[in-house]
Amino acid sequence: MGCVLGKCLTSSRYPRPSDGDMTQSCDAPPCSLEGKHVLTGRLLESVRVPSHNFRLEYSLLTQRGYYPDSPDKENQDSFCVSTQMRGNPNIHLFGVFDGHGQFGSLCSNFVKEKIVQILCNDSKLLEDPVKAYNSAFLTLNDELRSSDIDDSMSGTTAITALVLGNTLYVANVGDSRAVMAVRVGNRIVAEDMSHDQTPFRKDECERVKLAGARVLTIDQIEGLKDPDIQVWGDEETEGNDPPRLWFPDSLYPGTAFTRSVGDSAAEKIGVTAVPEVSVVELTQNHLFFVVASDGVFEFLTSQTVVDMAARYTDPRDACSAIAGESYKLWLDHENRTDDITIIIVHIKGFSSSGAAAIVGQNGLRISHASSEWGSSEPFCSIRSDFSDPQVSKHVGLMNRNTAIAVPSLTQYRPLEVEVG
């Protein structure tokens, strides 16, 4: 959900797969003899978190949208995966950035390229990750403003998940989303780790109004509905004509989000790059998490996405299935699709007993904080005594335009939920 003119999508309704740059062999079908996934062309990536003796097994997929009226539009989504940040094997970052506006692709790529560098250069990253996240997003916004990119009416969402030992920090600006799959008894439950920042949220709506924004739908602007009725339902029922932000006496910028990196013109009416940060202490009940652009969540709920991902042990199969279903639903409802980007990270081999021993060794001090997210799992803040490693090892996975072929259901192996 972007500017009033919509997001930029592209030509090919049946795009080709592109080669990935994964480096690990896969362990589940369908795979080629070389270990690459037949449908996505990617290898299965895995990285260890030695401080707590578990590993992250992940894959990703990004797909240009289909815009019949703009066949040459490029994919405005970007993503990054950075493992062993600052040379520390216990710090890993996964991010998705959904650009919008005329220069949305430039904005999302700018943020993708800069965010790891800014976080790595922050001396407070290990001591106070939340503060480091806030500082990084504001610095990103300032540097984008100072660049050669015109961000007056363009910008990007930014959703990032930072694994620091056994704690996950999610920072969000905009309406991309991060979701955790949590084992509750014999069920797998989706718990949102971010809340979309749009005028549908009462707190965000009131915040931008105080900054001077008019909040109206297109129908209200055009006089088809009463502009004094400031009740819009929710995104599921009113997503076709969402409330948007306007200057008091002008018909722009028409943004359907309340936070972003960039969009300097909209800053005057409350759009901000200050992120909302959530923190979760990982346990054996946290099975995997999903980081994705709103191209995935426009017609799929968080629970549906988690249910689909849980059908597959291989995250590549899950990425293909979810992206394929999202693409189909877009074309069922509209004559175009949005750009679609999804990262799925499985948490493998997590042991509560092993984690407890390592916590003592590394001096991790956990303090629980109240959760504003309504989660059944404990959200917390963390302070770490990890020593500062010397050099950053940045693994940037920047390939675009992978295929969204859906794996056969006869080949999937569902994620097993152990009870007791």
Side-chain angles (χ1 to χ4, degrees), residues 156-220:
T156 183
T157 72
I159 181 78
T160 57
L162 176 69
V163 177
L164 201 163
N166 71 330
T167 307
L168 182 67
Y169 297 84
V170 172
N172 180 51
V173 164
D175 57 4
S176 295
R177 193 179 302 177
V179 182
M180 177 67 76
V182 182
R183 176 172 45 207
V184 179
N186 62 351
R187 299 179 301 127
I188 299 178
V189 176
E191 294 192 349
D192 288 330
M193 295 186 295
S194 64
H195 283 179
D196 300 354
Q197 295 153 351
T198 74
F200 281 113
R201 274 177 54 179
K202 184 176 180 180
D203 58 339
E204 286 292 281
C205 184
E206 292 304 315
R207 183 181 62 78
V208 295
K209 283 183 179 179
L210 289 173
R214 285 191 302 161
V215 181
L216 300 168
T217 65
I218 297 293
D219 280 352
Q220 288 175 317

Side-chain angles (χ1 to χ4, degrees), residues 382-417:
I382 183 172
R383 186 171 294 277
S384 169
D385 290 337
F386 284 123
S387 59
D388 253 9
Q390 54 287 38
V391 185
S392 166
K393 179 183 178 183
H394 180 200
V395 181
L397 304 177
M398 310 302 185
N399 283 356
R400 289 169 167 254
N401 195 31
T402 48
I404 54 170
V406 180
S408 167
L409 290 181
T410 62
Q411 295 175 317
Y412 81 74
R413 293 182 294 166
L415 212 60
E416 296 181 357
V417 179

Side-chain angles (χ1 to χ4, degrees), residues 75-199:
N75 188 348
Q76 291 190 304
D77 284 1
S78 309
F79 61 85
C80 76
V81 173
S82 181
T83 60
Q84 301 184 31
M85 289 175 59
R86 305 177 72 178
N88 190 325
N90 303 305
I91 309 177
H92 314 284
L93 182 77
F94 305 86
V96 170
F97 315 99
D98 181 356
H100 50 261
Q102 183 179 356
F103 305 109
S105 179
L106 295 175
C107 292
S108 67
N109 276 282
F110 182 93
V111 172
K112 170 194 73 178
E113 298 287 352
K114 291 282 188 177
I115 189 166
V116 174
Q117 175 189 345
I118 292 172
L119 284 171
C120 285
N121 289 339
D122 193 326
S123 61
K124 299 292 185 182
L125 177 61
L126 301 181
E127 179 184 345
D128 192 342
V130 174
K131 184 176 181 180
Y133 249 150
N134 276 278
S135 176
F137 275 59
L138 293 177
T139 300
L140 279 168
N141 199 54
D142 290 342
E143 291 193 3
L144 178 59
R145 186 72 34 78
S146 302
S147 72
D148 293 332
I149 301 170
D150 179 1
D151 73 338
S152 58
M153 295 284 286
S154 299
T156 183
T157 72
I159 181 78
T160 57
L162 176 69
V163 177
L164 201 163
N166 71 330
T167 307
L168 182 67
Y169 297 84
V170 172
N172 180 51
V173 164
D175 57 4
S176 295
R177 193 179 302 177
V179 182
M180 177 67 76
V182 182
R183 176 172 45 207
V184 179
N186 62 351
R187 299 179 301 127
I188 299 178
V189 176
E191 294 192 349
D192 288 330
M193 295 186 295
S194 64
H195 283 179
D196 300 354
Q197 295 153 351
T198 74

Side-chain angles (χ1 to χ4, degrees), residues 52-64:
H52 290 76
N53 196 30
F54 67 95
R55 75 182 191 277
L56 305 172
E57 189 175 276
Y58 59 91
S59 190
L60 53 88
L61 184 151
T62 187
Q63 175 60 51
R64 292 186 305 171

Side-chain angles (χ1 to χ4, degrees), residues 289-303:
F289 60 88
V290 178
V291 182
S293 63
D294 75 326
V296 169
F297 294 105
E298 184 73 16
F299 301 107
L300 294 174
T301 66
S302 297
Q303 186 63 55

Side-chain angles (χ1 to χ4, degrees), residues 223-280:
L224 300 177
K225 290 185 178 180
D226 187 347
D228 294 327
I229 299 177
Q230 297 279 287
V231 178
W232 298 285
D234 56 38
E235 290 188 61
E236 288 189 26
T237 59
E238 303 291 340
N240 288 335
D241 187 19
R244 297 176 181 274
L245 277 59
W246 312 89
F247 277 95
D249 302 313
S250 303
L251 292 181
Y252 82 99
T255 61
F257 48 81
T258 55
R259 303 194 190 205
S260 74
V261 179
D263 295 285
S264 57
E267 284 188 0
K268 299 178 180 67
I269 52 172
V271 173
T272 178
V274 175
E276 292 180 314
V277 181
S278 62
V279 188
V280 62

